[in-house]
Amino acid sequence: MSTMNISLPENLKHFVDQQVAGRGYGTSSEYVRELIRRDRDRQRLRDLLLEGASSETTEPVDANYFDSLRDRALRQSSK
C-alpha cells in the first residue's frame, strides 16, 4: 500500500477526528479511503448515466420495460 500525506487546516482535521470517533472508523486513513471510494463510485455512476443518456433506445420505454429492468437489476444484485 502506498502512503500519501495531506495537510488540513485545523478545523478540517477536527472534523475528520470527530468522524473517525463517531462513525466507527479505526483511523483517519480509513475514513479518507472510504470518502475516496464513494467519490470513485459516484464518478462511475455518473459516467454510466451519461453513457446511457447518450445511447439510442432499443425498445419502447413503458411499464414492461421497467419491469424487465427491475428484474434484471434484482438478478444482478443476487449474484
Side-chain angles (χ1 to χ4, degrees), residues 1-78:
M1 185 178 302
S2 296
T3 299
M4 176 185 287
N5 296 315
I6 60 169
S7 298
L8 297 174
E10 190 59 37
N11 64 336
L12 287 180
K13 182 186 180 314
H14 180 69
F15 177 78
V16 169
D17 291 342
Q18 285 179 321
Q19 297 305 303
V20 170
R23 296 175 65 187
Y25 294 100
T27 64
S28 57
S29 291
E30 288 178 13
Y31 175 68
V32 171
R33 281 193 296 268
E34 179 66 20
L35 292 177
I36 293 169
R37 285 185 196 104
R38 287 182 185 184
D39 193 42
R40 181 187 58 195
D41 292 345
R42 201 173 10 258
Q43 182 63 45
R44 285 181 185 161
L45 177 58
R46 181 182 185 278
D47 292 344
L48 288 170
L49 289 170
L50 289 172
E51 180 183 329
S54 65
S55 67
E56 293 186 30
T57 58
T58 56
E59 56 186 89
V61 178
D62 57 11
N64 290 332
Y65 170 81
F66 286 106
D67 290 341
S68 170
L69 188 61
R70 191 175 300 107
D71 291 343
R72 195 170 85 201
L74 288 171
R75 283 194 305 275
Q76 286 290 331
S77 69
S78 65

